[in-house]
Amino acid sequence: MTPESVLGFGRQGLEVLLAVAAPVLLAALVVGLIVSILQALTQINEATLSFVPKLVAIAATLMLAGPWMLALLVDYLQRVLGGIPAALAGSPMP
């Protein structure tokens, strides 16, 4: 296993990690920002007021983007498992 193949596996893993986490984090960020602006305007400082909408937005995002995220993870796993024999033989990863 060459250092290039190890770096290839790691780079692809980080790319998949960012792609899978981005929709959920973006939804939480947008909802948190909107709730924070509303709290600043109304001067209501309740912790659960910020938590519940984020939870709902994350659940909705997972329901909408979940199949795509799962397909991306399954595709990555198939590529990694399929590339192990070639990586052990010393050839670069596809």
Side-chain angles (χ1 to χ4, degrees):
M1 190 170 222
T2 65
E4 291 82 17
S5 64
V6 172
L7 286 176
F9 282 124
R11 183 185 54 79
Q12 286 183 356
L14 288 175
E15 288 173 357
V16 169
L17 171 74
L18 289 174
V20 168
V24 175
L25 291 175
L26 189 61
L29 175 74
V30 169
V31 170
L33 184 64
I34 291 170
V35 169
S36 295
I37 290 171
L38 289 174
Q39 281 182 331
L41 290 174
T42 60
Q43 296 182 353
I44 297 174
N45 292 324
E46 181 65 33
T48 57
L49 186 63
S50 129
F51 179 73
V52 173
K54 281 186 200 175
L55 191 63
V56 171
I58 289 172
T61 303
L62 285 174
M63 287 186 347
L64 293 174
W68 171 78
M69 294 162 77
L70 184 61
L72 192 66
L73 288 171
V74 167
D75 180 54
Y76 173 69
L77 182 63
Q78 287 175 342
R79 282 187 285 134
V80 168
L81 292 178
I84 288 176
L88 291 176
S91 62
M93 199 173 136

